[in-house]
Amino acid sequence: MPDKGIMIELRVDMGRIKQVAPLYEETIVVGSGAHTTIVAPADKEYARLAALVQEAIAARTGAELPVVEAEQFSTSSAPRGTVIAIGHAANHPLLRRLHDQKHLGDGDYPDDGSAVLSVHNPYGDGHNVLCALGANPGVARRSVEVLLAQLVERDGALLAPGPILAREPIPQTPDPAELNLERNSDESGFSGRPSSFLQALEHVCKAGEERWARRFIEAVTPFATGEIPLSFWLMSAVDFWTERLVIAWDRVEQLPLFSDDERLLVINFIASCTEYSHDSITYQKWRLVDEDYQVFNHHTFPSRSLYFGASYLQRHGYALPELEGWIDKALAVFARASRAGRSFDEGGAGYSWLVGNHLLDVSMAEGDTSYVESEKIVHYADLAACILNNRRQLVPFGDCGGYHSSPTGAANVLLRAAEWHRDGSYRWLAEQTSPDGRCNDIFTRDLVSEEPQKHVGLFVLSMDPIIHHWAGQPHFPNYPAPPLAPNVPPEQGFDKLSLRGGWGEDDDYLLLQGFGEGQHGHPDANAISQYQVRGRLFLAESDYILRWPKQHNMIMV
């Protein structure tokens, strides 16, 4: 019998961490022992903004702060002490580092209005980063003005007296009373993924509102105390959403919205969820072992959560003895995943993009750009291009639930290929995944979008040798080898083959499968997954359960 591992559950331990870490709510800019650096891009318009900040602070305090060009820092280095950072993540390596570590997000670089944020203790040294953000110099100037207005003089010092979360226009959030909270039922309790506390917390991130902070605490408490249990058999998927919890909490914990008791409740919940994520890749059937077996989304979901959860706890000084080992285990999963130029998941409508997006999240947070700089990300992007039909939908082969699908899951892979390989055709493809045909990625705005010509006519996506190797191995520890191992060398086979008359909606398109394996994949090698003529689908297939060759567009001999 195959070894299906252990069914795990969340171990609630509200005494695991007994005292909250200090918050560095004040950011001293000028004062006894303060060391503050203004960091801005060398571009003359941003340099003027740095000079404006320097002169304004000098006029108020007599101190002339040093100005340093952002380009002098790599994404893995930072100046000592407090930083005033001006610009956006694409023109500022320090902001890029904060972005990659999830302290900043895509929505923090507006095209109009302003955005001023204080990033709390990102380096674990007790110093904050004051960010005056904007996608262009005009917005950055307005953000600088807002930041300067936030600084106050007190006891001979110039400081930001508390955390800053100031956006103009102010983001609008719905009424918290409209959010339904999960509760145990009288008959069988609660099962499924909880979502209310994640939604509430992400609303706190938008505007820092007290009303949403109260709703978050109300929603999370029954899960954090164990009143509502979470487990694998209850389909709680703790390891799938812990990363969201950690990232959102890390962005708002310092706001004056939570008591120390509430912070301790959430931090212990994060520790429990992080432990669950570790147990997921240690004791369940997809556990990580030394043998070179496949990596798919049930490895990378918990590993991403494990990485961000353990990194948060470690950075804030919670000296749990397991943390270093947890981070090492998470990175070991992504080291294996990074050997391939695509995911072992074989589901074009969604599954195929999970491992890639998780790998990008963790590798970039680590400051490791080897994957995005390699040809592997190009191969991954070519998979998206190959299976994007002329209706701008991803062909739903493998486990899927309809003839039509959203292409949004592939966008990040396409954008990172565009950014790191300076290829506007991948940006054009990413733009097709957006309902309004626009793509607001800050890192590729300077690229000119152009229709990809190499994917017109016959395009053959080669078979990745690592994916080919994994297809011949047992899928899980103590499982038997597949009954039919690949019998064609990877260099003689192909992964996908597309025929495309052009990129117009009425141009012909056909996708032929060359890979009939993979998690969530079907035995459909040599099947026609889709045939489109004049904007209509003449051959299509789609199902999550009906997976055998006779249920695909192929001939059995």
Side-chain angles (χ1 to χ4, degrees):
M1 289 288 293
D3 178 0
K4 295 190 176 181
I6 297 172
M7 305 279 273
I8 63 173
E9 61 183 327
L10 186 77
R11 184 175 71 89
V12 173
D13 182 355
M14 297 177 65
R16 188 193 315 248
I17 295 168
K18 296 179 170 57
Q19 185 174 353
V20 294
L23 293 177
Y24 304 95
E25 297 169 287
E26 293 184 348
T27 305
I28 299 177
V29 176
V30 176
S32 178
H35 186 283
T36 301
T37 306
I38 303 167
V39 183
D43 176 88
K44 64 180 181 180
E45 293 185 86
Y46 288 97
R48 289 195 193 103
L49 296 180
L52 186 156
V53 173
Q54 184 187 50
E55 292 163 6
I57 291 174
R60 295 176 68 176
T61 67
E64 186 171 300
L65 300 182
V67 174
V68 179
E69 293 179 358
E71 292 80 359
Q72 293 188 23
F73 298 97
S74 70
T75 54
S76 60
S77 63
R80 179 174 61 88
T82 297
V83 175
I84 298 175
I86 304 167
H88 56 74
N91 68 1
H92 200 300
L94 294 184
L95 292 176
R96 176 61 188 259
R97 185 80 178 118
L98 296 176
H99 180 101
D100 289 341
Q101 291 181 320
K102 309 299 185 181
H103 299 297
L104 298 173
D106 292 336
D108 290 326
Y109 321 110
D111 288 303
D112 50 43
S114 62
V116 181
L117 310 174
S118 59
V119 177
H120 177 254
N121 191 24
Y123 308 113
D125 61 358
H127 294 99
N128 302 330
V129 180
L130 302 178
C131 304
L133 305 171
N136 57 66
V139 175
R141 171 176 285 275
R142 175 59 185 151
S143 297
V144 161
E145 293 168 351
V146 173
L147 173 59
L148 290 172
Q150 296 272 343
L151 303 181
V152 301
E153 297 172 57
R154 192 174 69 201
D155 300 329
L158 183 70
L159 64 134
I164 302 174
L165 176 56
R167 293 189 174 99
E168 294 179 3
I170 297 173
Q172 299 300 303
T173 60
D175 183 351
E178 297 175 357
L179 179 66
N180 294 322
L181 306 187
E182 296 90 355
R183 291 288 182 259
N184 281 321
S185 67
D186 294 335
E187 296 80 17
S188 58
F190 171 78
S191 63
R193 296 189 193 188
S195 63
S196 63
F197 62 79
L198 294 170
Q199 294 177 60
L201 186 57
E202 287 166 354
H203 282 310
V204 179
C205 289
K206 290 179 183 177
E209 295 174 291
E210 172 74 26
R211 60 180 189 152
W212 274 109
R214 294 301 94 216
R215 196 62 165 166
F216 164 67
I217 292 298
E218 182 183 4
V220 79
T221 295
F223 296 101
T225 60
E227 176 189 340
I228 301 179
L230 298 169
S231 69
F232 178 78
W233 61 85
L234 290 172
M235 302 183 71
S236 307
V238 174
D239 46 344
F240 280 42
W241 49 254
T242 293
E243 162 259 355
R244 280 179 65 193
L245 170 67
V246 172
I247 289 170
W249 173 252
D250 198 16
R251 294 190 68 174
V252 302
E253 180 184 5
Q254 76 277 13
L255 298 178
L257 302 173
F258 307 102
S259 69
D260 282 353
D261 286 343
E262 290 169 342
R263 287 180 60 213
L264 195 60
L265 176 80
V266 176
I267 293 163
N268 272 308
F269 185 46
I270 285 174
S272 293
C273 293
T274 303
E275 179 184 59
Y276 182 104
S277 301
H278 165 267
D279 292 350
S280 177
I281 55 168
T282 304
Y283 303 119
Q284 299 203 111
K285 74 175 184 179
W286 46 78
R287 58 194 177 274
L288 180 69
V289 294
D290 291 337
E291 288 83 1
D292 187 19
Y293 296 155
Q294 51 106 0
V295 171
F296 78 120
N297 76 86
H298 281 268
H299 294 95
T300 57
F301 264 119
S303 296
R304 181 175 65 165
S305 287
L306 181 62
Y307 173 82
F308 282 104
S311 297
Y312 162 83
L313 294 166
Q314 187 179 70
R315 178 163 45 83
H316 290 291
Y318 297 110
L320 302 179
E322 309 93 342
L323 294 181
E324 188 171 343
W326 285 357
I327 293 173
D328 288 345
K329 176 164 279 193
L331 293 178
V333 169
F334 288 107
R336 186 173 297 179
S338 69
R339 295 171 55 217
R342 52 156 288 178
S343 170
F344 195 66
D345 286 289
E346 175 73 350
Y351 285 111
S352 292
W353 317 108
L354 296 174
V355 168
N357 285 318
H358 300 165
L359 173 59
L360 290 170
D361 281 347
V362 172
S363 61
M364 297 303 288
E366 274 288 286
D368 178 2
T369 60
S370 59
Y371 194 81
V372 289
E373 291 183 276
S374 75
E375 289 299 313
K376 294 173 186 175
I377 192 70
V378 174
H379 184 89
Y380 217 145
D382 281 339
L383 170 63
C386 185
I387 70 170
L388 185 70
N389 69 21
N390 284 22
R391 298 180 63 148
R392 309 302 191 254
Q393 297 172 344
L394 295 175
V395 176
F397 54 81
D399 285 345
C400 52
Y403 293 132
H404 306 287
S405 69
S406 166
T408 55
N412 191 41
V413 170
L414 288 163
L415 289 168
R416 299 293 69 79
E419 175 195 359
W420 289 89
H421 294 266
R422 311 310 299 165
D423 190 330
S425 67
Y426 293 122
R427 176 178 165 84
W428 184 89
L429 288 162
E431 288 173 345
Q432 310 312 302
T433 71
S434 177
D436 60 1
R438 297 177 63 247
C439 175
N440 294 319
D441 181 67
I442 193 72
F443 303 107
T444 56
R445 286 191 173 193
D446 62 332
L447 282 178
V448 177
S449 298
E450 54 186 0
E451 287 189 1
Q453 294 306 306
K454 74 175 182 178
H455 301 101
V456 174
L458 171 65
F459 179 80
V460 180
L461 183 72
S462 62
M463 172 56 66
D464 184 282
I466 298 299
I467 299 299
H468 182 275
H469 166 72
W470 286 342
Q473 302 299 308
H475 282 187
F476 305 107
N478 300 322
Y479 268 53
L484 295 175
N487 58 3
V488 176
E491 64 274 11
Q492 295 181 20
F494 64 93
D495 188 335
K496 304 285 181 287
L497 183 154
S498 63
L499 291 164
R500 189 187 308 270
W503 286 101
E505 290 189 5
D506 290 335
D507 289 328
D508 295 356
Y509 170 82
L510 181 146
L511 179 68
L512 181 69
Q513 282 288 348
F515 182 52
E517 242 287 356
Q519 289 296 335
H520 295 286
H522 295 181
D524 58 352
N526 281 331
I528 297 174
S529 291
Q530 195 170 99
Y531 179 43
Q532 175 185 330
V533 180
R534 296 180 182 176
R536 298 181 62 187
L537 298 180
F538 280 81
L539 284 177
E541 55 185 33
S542 171
D543 207 279
Y544 209 97
I545 303 300
L546 302 177
R547 63 189 308 274
W548 299 112
K550 66 181 181 180
Q551 287 139 355
H552 293 81
N553 300 313
M554 59 192 302
I555 297 173
M556 296 179 63
V557 179

